[in-house]
Amino acid sequence: MSALLPRFLRQLRCPLQPAGPPRRLRVPSRASSHGGGGYGGVEGLLGQRRQRRQQNAQAGSSHGSGGREPPARNSIVREVIQNSKEVLHLLQEKNPAFKPVLAIIQAGDDNLMQEVNQNLAEEAGLNITHICLPPESGEDEIIDEILKINEDTRVHGLALQISENLFSNKVLNALKPEKDVDGVTDVNLGKLVRGDAHECFVSPVARAVIELLEKSGVNLDGKKVLVVGAHGSLEATLQCLFQRRGSMTMSSQWKAPQLQSKLHEADVVVFGSPKPEEIPFSWIQPGATVLNCSHDLLSGKLGRGSPGEHFSGPITENDVSLLAAALRIQNMVVSGRRWLREQQYTRWRLHCLKLQPLSPVPSDIEISRAQTPKSVDVLAKEIGLLADEIEIYGKSKAKVRLSLLERLKDQADGKYVLVAGITPTPLGEGKSTVTVGLVQALTAHLNINSFACLRQPSQGPTFGVKGGAAGGGYAQVIPMEEFNLHLTGDIHAITAANNLLAAAIDTRILHESTQTDKALYNRLVPSVNGVREFSDIQLARLKKLGIDKTDPGALTEEEMRRFARLDIDPSTITWQRVLDTNDRFLRKITIGQANTEKGCSRQAQFDIAVASEIMAVLALTNSLKDMKERLGRMVVASDKNGHPVTAEDLGVTGALTVLMKDAIKPNLMQTLEGTPVFVHAGPFANIAHGNSSVLADKIALKLVGEEGFVVTEAGFGADIGMEKFFNIKCRASGLVPNVVVLVATVRALKMHGGGPSVTAGVPLKREYTEENIQLVADGCCNLQKQIQIAQLFGVPVVVALNVFKTDTRAEIDLVCELAKRAGAFDAVPCYHWSVGGKGSVDLAWAVREAASKRSRFRFLYDVQLPIVEKIRTIAQAVYGARDIELSPEAQAKVDRYTEQGFGNLPICMAKTHLSLSHQPDKKGVPRDFILPISDVRASIGAGFIYPLVGTMSTMPGLPTRPCFYDIDLDTETEQVKGLF
């Protein structure tokens, strides 16, 4: 062995870091008599073994010549390695980037087996990494390394080269059974004993013993086999394998009093640990076959006999170790193949929670509290998430890291389902409830992988009128109080980022108005410890200005002025401060009235936090890098020359990204029946697009697999939420929807048929609580129109009739019949609110069948069309308007955005959700109206232009009796009361 080898390994004695790529340590090779630099792979190793056997034979007498050597012995290793190489090649043909990695944890300086493993792995085409620990390492240090490798998805197999005394149950069973290529864990041993060898890993050492005996022509049936000096998993595996071949198996330790008689009786003797010097070979009967598979093989020590002692019969000392190393490589290839198979679609082994529905149905919070959710780490494991891919918040929430997308990039996406609705009443028609009920039916009752992707609710409506948004009845997300209050703080992060940018705008105006060019420049680029340099974001601004300089002292006075002054026109500021509370008195305010602001006061306003463009950016981003770029592109005002001023110009992009770095990760929760839900982002559905995040959908589509379903929800009616989902979200994500589920209620259809007005907080009139076939029939015109809108995009429609207890069978049948006549693929009544997923099984079957049809998805318009033409297309094709009419202010904005280069963005119409027209009281299907466009604004970072149809409030107010009157906390149990 090279004298450099121990020193080299000691220098590299450090653990594998999961954050970086697996470390592949190349072992210095021996000098070769042929002038080569190494063993030459398997051939060289076999040659080394033959040379040692010859030396041992020459040292013995004629009686101990080692007996005959089976001719097939040397070819076994080559055969195993070649087979492994061919299987791996076939796997890599379909998965070119795949290369299995074997990690070996070594404690100590025993390096011979390390070199054997290295050479065989290279021959087969695997990567190998050694984690070299100090010789004095204890159980805890070794277990720490094992646990890291267990969760490292780049490592497919793990073996231990540690001293005998460290092979405790605690250490061995810390290994993940699926990575235990040495077959030492209780799980793998149990499967072997049970007869499920094809499902487990079998000890390569024990397999090598059996292979060598059978290849040597030894018939094991009826033979007496003695396993001596073996312990634990090796002893158990040898006994099991010999018994399966009809052998009579005995075990003994070296100090057993009957050892001599047992040795004399045995036809085959297997040494499981080094033979003590005081045990002579003469105790073994002549002609017996002896194999040495010392357990120290795993710690790098090759067991050797005493060449000076002689007995009759073949002995194979070193062949066991080399063949075991080759079989370990074979196990590695099997492990890699299983890992690849697991990356493909598999049905989750999900433990669903049982429901016991009550009648009458209790309140939402009572139902939520009666169900005990699974621990979120258990749920994460059930759906295929790794431990290092989640960040747990309490017991029932977790964030999912975006690294999962890289791990599953080759996984086929599942089916993509959008839940939209007809034009709703002010009470809402239950889109969230239908979404949850559908995934509960798919997964808990049909055993189909499915994920719900919902928006995070604003705190404003939760304490205002509408209440929460976790679904309702027996189809909701739990715990509902955690869903509706704070969640993991994403909205608070958006609030902080939004208001930081707002502060930066007014601060910049103040400082520019009170300082000279030179003073302003010197403060923006200060000298720190005698060194003056631009920050990265300042260098980006110089590049944008066309100033190709990096030395702050090299700028001319004109260049310094251009760099330092943004010259923001206060009258053009569109960026407002936000708060996640309904507060009507912040709709118009005056800021900057203190003397310290030196007269820089102006009129401003607060918006609700979910109306912030940062929320829309979060919902549409595809990656952390993409989010940073979008945040930088956000236009906050114009300068005095009419040019856009962005967050990047203000130098705040990096800080905004830091505040949003955790908010970008989707939040994992569960339904009442224990099926997974992502809750992420909740942009306003009027001035923004009203859909949950692209990232949540993309991650869910990977997790459910090719045969699974992701069900996401669009805000308001199909004319608003669905249209924006298709034209804005699908453009941003590149995802193609398979099915639209259109939610309708008898109550809303009666309203569209001419029923009395519906007001939140006011009891329903009797027209809504008693059967009225005519009102339902007349109101189905709105349902038919919404079906037609979905068909504009080429996506099949399944109507989900959300059934209330006052609906009659005749009304239900009428709606389903008229929906099918209007072109719906199917129409199904749903009862999930009262009984859970079981009440939406028919809907689940209908969605599954519709998703099997080929999607002919298409966008409604080409983004390259002029802004006005895109607005007109939506107004006429979707709303049914005769034409549009732009106010002078709106036309001026259109001209400005077109001149600034933003004319090719999609359109996000800000319109009332209570009517297809701009007038909330016009129900049914209004016709022949002119759609007035009062203003046009832009969310450049999010990536859309939003025309305002009439006035649009971005800060809700509280009613006379808000929800907060009923919300309370039990100070004894700390349970929340009154949420709905």
Side-chain angles (χ1 to χ4, degrees):
M1 187 67 65
S2 169
L4 295 174
L5 183 55
R7 191 190 320 159
F8 177 79
L9 288 173
R10 279 195 294 271
Q11 290 171 350
L12 292 169
R13 196 178 297 142
C14 59
L16 175 71
Q17 300 298 323
R23 190 157 47 84
R24 182 173 179 174
L25 305 185
R26 285 193 172 272
V27 182
S29 51
R30 303 177 175 229
S32 167
S33 59
H34 301 289
Y39 282 133
V42 177
E43 290 293 341
L45 289 166
L46 290 170
Q48 181 195 20
R49 297 299 185 207
R50 286 193 296 270
Q51 186 178 14
R52 286 182 178 173
R53 276 198 299 271
Q54 290 168 2
Q55 291 171 351
N56 288 345
Q58 291 170 5
S61 67
S62 59
H63 203 71
S65 63
R68 65 190 181 281
E69 181 176 335
R73 180 176 295 161
N74 292 346
S75 67
I76 302 174
V77 174
R78 285 194 298 272
E79 183 182 334
V80 171
I81 293 298
Q82 183 60 31
N83 177 266
S84 300
K85 189 174 183 178
E86 290 173 0
V87 172
L88 182 57
H89 177 71
L90 291 173
L91 294 174
Q92 290 172 332
E93 282 185 349
K94 295 182 179 180
N95 307 274
F98 173 66
K99 194 164 189 179
V101 176
L102 169 64
I104 298 178
I105 296 177
Q106 176 179 332
D109 290 329
D110 299 317
N111 303 314
L112 182 55
M113 280 311 301
Q114 178 173 316
E115 190 167 3
V116 170
N117 289 323
Q118 186 77 36
N119 280 277
L120 292 176
E122 289 183 0
E123 188 82 8
L126 286 85
N127 281 340
I128 193 167
T129 182
H130 281 86
I131 296 88
C132 304
L133 302 178
E136 64 274 12
S137 297
E139 280 188 354
D140 291 341
E141 291 89 342
I142 292 168
I143 289 173
D144 284 345
E145 293 302 325
I146 289 173
L147 295 178
K148 290 176 187 175
I149 294 171
N150 280 349
E151 301 306 325
D152 191 333
T153 58
R154 300 156 304 175
V155 176
H156 306 89
L158 173 58
L160 303 177
Q161 288 180 200
I162 56 179
S163 61
E164 181 76 31
N165 63 305
L166 289 174
F167 274 97
S168 65
N169 283 334
K170 183 179 177 182
V171 168
L172 296 180
N173 288 306
L175 275 73
K176 267 190 174 178
E178 56 267 34
K179 293 189 178 184
D180 170 29
V181 291
D182 279 338
V184 296
T185 59
D186 288 349
V187 171
N188 279 318
L189 284 171
K191 288 181 178 179
L192 174 65
V193 171
R194 199 174 58 210
D196 297 329
H198 61 285
E199 294 181 5
C200 66
F201 289 114
V202 179
S203 163
V205 178
R207 284 180 58 203
V209 168
I210 300 297
E211 287 275 341
L212 286 170
L213 287 170
E214 292 182 337
K215 294 287 185 180
S216 299
V218 177
N219 182 6
L220 293 173
D221 189 18
K223 290 287 193 297
K224 293 181 180 179
V225 177
L226 175 63
V227 178
V228 58
H231 303 276
S233 60
L234 178 61
E235 179 183 17
T237 305
L238 285 168
Q239 285 189 346
C240 184
L241 294 180
F242 277 122
Q243 287 170 2
R244 293 272 165 79
R245 284 157 177 80
S247 303
M248 294 178 287
T249 309
M250 302 175 288
S251 290
S252 178
Q253 296 306 314
W254 289 112
K255 295 185 179 180
Q258 296 85 17
L259 176 60
Q260 182 174 358
S261 62
K262 288 183 177 180
L263 284 169
H264 194 70
E265 293 176 11
D267 301 310
V268 177
V269 179
V270 180
F271 293 173
S273 58
K275 180 183 73 63
E277 292 291 332
E278 62 270 21
I279 306 295
F281 276 110
S282 60
W283 286 9
I284 301 173
Q285 70 164 311
T289 302
V290 180
L291 293 98
N292 188 349
C293 60
S294 167
H295 195 67
D296 277 4
L297 168 72
L298 293 176
S299 62
K301 298 176 183 176
L302 294 180
R304 294 177 177 84
S306 301
E309 300 189 62
H310 318 297
F311 60 94
S312 298
I315 176 169
T316 55
E317 301 173 338
N318 299 323
D319 296 298
V320 174
S321 58
L322 183 56
L323 180 55
L327 291 170
R328 177 190 280 164
I329 297 298
Q330 189 179 75
N331 280 355
M332 267 298 304
V333 174
V334 171
S335 176
R337 183 172 59 193
R338 289 175 182 169
W339 182 84
L340 282 175
R341 190 165 59 239
E342 288 171 2
Q343 303 312 299
Q344 299 166 1
Y345 169 76
T346 54
R347 285 189 175 172
W348 298 330
R349 295 178 180 176
L350 203 67
H351 168 64
C352 294
L353 305 178
K354 300 298 182 185
L355 289 181
Q356 294 180 328
L358 301 176
S359 183
V361 176
S363 70
D364 290 349
I365 196 164
E366 288 174 321
I367 294 171
S368 174
R369 191 161 293 142
Q371 185 71 288
T372 301
K374 294 180 284 190
S375 294
V376 72
D377 58 329
V378 172
L379 174 64
K381 187 174 182 180
E382 288 177 338
I383 62 175
L385 288 165
L386 305 178
D388 64 350
E389 290 174 339
I390 60 170
E391 298 169 4
I392 295 175
Y393 285 65
K395 295 181 180 179
S396 54
K397 307 184 297 290
K399 281 195 164 292
V400 176
R401 293 177 178 166
L402 307 188
S403 58
L404 178 142
L405 285 171
E406 176 63 24
R407 176 170 70 88
L408 298 182
K409 63 183 179 182
D410 296 324
Q411 170 84 293
D413 287 347
K415 302 289 192 274
Y416 199 25
V417 179
L418 174 69
V419 175
I422 64 170
T423 304
T425 69
L427 306 177
E429 309 318 306
K431 294 190 304 296
S432 298
T433 309
V434 170
T435 301
V436 175
L438 175 55
V439 295
Q440 288 181 176
L442 284 165
T443 300
H445 297 272
L446 300 184
N447 195 28
I448 298 170
N449 294 359
S450 73
F451 233 110
C453 291
L454 299 177
R455 294 172 294 164
Q456 180 182 353
S458 167
Q459 179 181 286
T462 300
F463 290 99
V465 177
K466 183 175 178 292
Y474 287 99
Q476 55 175 305
V477 181
I478 57 172
M480 73 161 291
E481 58 267 44
E482 294 188 27
F483 177 96
N484 287 311
L485 302 175
H486 306 298
L487 197 59
T488 57
D490 294 350
I491 293 180
H492 301 312
I494 289 165
T495 302
N498 184 98
N499 293 343
L500 175 63
L501 180 52
I505 296 166
D506 290 302
T507 298
R508 188 60 173 263
I509 293 173
L510 168 68
H511 291 309
E512 287 190 23
S513 68
T514 57
Q515 299 180 49
T516 65
D517 292 346
K518 186 174 182 181
L520 185 62
Y521 181 77
N522 287 338
R523 286 184 171 89
L524 287 171
V525 194
S527 176
V528 180
N529 297 325
V531 178
R532 195 178 189 191
E533 58 185 8
F534 294 113
S535 68
D536 290 342
I537 200 165
Q538 288 176 327
L539 288 171
R541 173 159 172 77
L542 287 170
K543 184 177 180 181
K544 177 181 177 180
L545 293 171
I547 302 172
D548 189 19
K549 296 178 181 178
T550 57
D551 179 5
L555 270 65
T556 66
E557 288 188 5
E558 173 59 20
E559 288 170 339
M560 284 191 290
R561 189 198 68 76
R562 291 174 58 211
F563 171 82
R565 293 198 177 276
L566 298 179
D567 285 329
I568 296 172
D569 180 353
S571 68
T572 66
I573 294 173
T574 56
W575 195 264
Q576 310 298 344
R577 288 164 173 83
V578 299
L579 185 70
D580 197 33
T581 301
N582 289 3
D583 191 344
R584 65 177 67 246
F585 286 92
L586 294 177
R587 289 171 176 169
K588 183 171 285 190
I589 59 173
T590 302
I591 62 172
Q593 293 189 356
N595 293 333
T596 51
E597 275 53 76
K598 302 178 182 180
C600 290
S601 64
R602 65 182 180 90
Q603 278 201 341
Q605 68 183 58
F606 269 79
D607 293 338
I608 191 79
V610 294
S612 169
E613 184 178 348
I614 295 178
M615 175 63 91
V617 166
L618 175 66
L620 289 170
T621 192
N622 283 286
S623 66
L624 193 58
K625 181 175 181 291
D626 180 48
M627 182 178 73
K628 183 177 180 180
E629 292 172 353
R630 287 174 179 269
L631 291 171
R633 290 199 300 266
M634 293 188 303
V635 174
V636 299
S638 295
D639 65 18
K640 291 171 182 175
N641 293 317
H643 300 128
V645 177
T646 67
E648 185 82 2
D649 294 326
L650 285 158
V652 75
T653 305
L656 299 181
T657 308
V658 168
L659 287 170
M660 293 294 294
K661 71 179 179 63
D662 292 319
I664 196 174
K665 303 165 190 171
N667 305 295
L668 177 65
M669 294 188 75
Q670 63 193 281
T671 68
L672 275 167
E673 298 191 53
T675 66
V677 179
F678 274 140
V679 184
H680 197 219
F684 241 29
N686 46 26
I687 67 166
H689 61 295
N691 306 134
S692 61
S693 78
V694 165
L695 282 170
D697 291 356
K698 285 191 168 185
I699 292 174
L701 285 164
K702 294 297 182 187
L703 286 171
V704 298
E706 191 171 6
E707 302 300 321
F709 286 80
V710 170
V711 184
T712 190
E713 174 194 358
F716 296 155
D719 57 304
I720 299 179
M722 182 186 70
E723 181 272 317
K724 294 176 182 179
F725 176 88
F726 290 147
N727 283 320
I728 298 175
K729 185 176 180 179
C730 289
R731 287 185 201 270
S733 68
L735 299 174
V736 175
N738 298 94
V739 182
V740 168
V741 173
L742 192 63
V743 179
T745 61
V746 168
R747 177 181 67 194
L749 293 172
K750 286 180 176 179
M751 178 190 71
H752 288 296
S757 63
V758 177
T759 305
V762 176
L764 291 170
K765 301 289 196 305
R766 64 182 182 84
E767 286 87 347
Y768 295 104
T769 57
E770 298 176 1
E771 183 176 286
N772 192 318
I773 296 296
Q774 190 59 51
L775 278 180
V776 173
D778 292 344
C780 277
C781 61
N782 186 272
L783 172 61
Q784 292 161 348
K785 173 62 175 174
Q786 301 286 11
I787 292 171
Q788 291 167 9
I789 294 171
Q791 291 172 334
L792 291 172
F793 297 91
V795 182
V797 179
V798 173
V799 171
L801 182 62
N802 193 16
V803 177
F804 294 173
K805 62 182 179 181
T806 54
D807 299 344
T808 67
R809 172 50 58 186
E811 291 172 331
I812 293 169
D813 291 344
L814 176 63
V815 173
C816 292
E817 177 61 27
L818 292 178
K820 292 175 188 176
R821 287 187 193 176
F825 178 86
D826 203 348
V828 183
C830 304
Y831 304 89
H832 43 263
W833 183 81
S834 58
V835 296
K838 183 172 66 173
S840 282
V841 168
D842 288 345
L843 175 63
W845 282 119
V847 167
R848 190 180 187 192
E849 187 177 352
S852 67
K853 309 299 180 185
R854 183 166 171 247
S855 176
R856 301 181 181 276
F857 175 69
R858 55 187 174 272
F859 296 118
L860 184 65
Y861 54 79
D862 184 343
V863 289
Q864 300 303 324
L865 287 172
I867 292 175
V868 172
E869 287 307 309
K870 287 181 284 194
I871 297 172
R872 180 174 287 111
T873 299
I874 295 170
Q876 292 177 338
V878 177
Y879 308 150
R882 178 158 51 90
D883 204 350
I884 60 173
E885 183 177 71
L886 273 69
S887 70
E889 182 183 1
Q891 186 61 59
K893 292 279 190 72
V894 168
D895 295 341
R896 182 198 301 172
Y897 293 141
T898 302
E899 184 180 347
Q900 291 176 341
F902 304 137
N904 61 347
L905 294 176
I907 302 299
C908 181
M909 299 292 286
K911 181 186 76 70
T912 178
H913 63 291
L914 297 174
S915 172
L916 284 164
S917 74
H918 57 289
Q919 298 171 292
D921 58 334
K922 300 295 183 183
K923 305 301 181 183
V925 182
R927 302 181 189 279
D928 201 37
F929 60 92
I930 303 294
L931 191 74
I933 308 299
S934 60
D935 195 5
V936 176
R937 299 176 187 171
S939 291
I940 304 304
F944 52 75
I945 303 291
Y946 63 99
L948 272 63
V949 180
T951 58
M952 190 62 56
S953 174
T954 51
M955 171 55 83
L958 291 173
T960 304
R961 192 187 189 285
C963 298
F964 61 63
Y965 277 93
D966 302 310
I967 297 172
D968 200 0
L969 182 73
D970 187 318
T971 56
E972 295 291 328
T973 63
E974 298 187 13
Q975 288 187 336
V976 177
K977 299 186 291 185
L979 282 178
F980 69 96

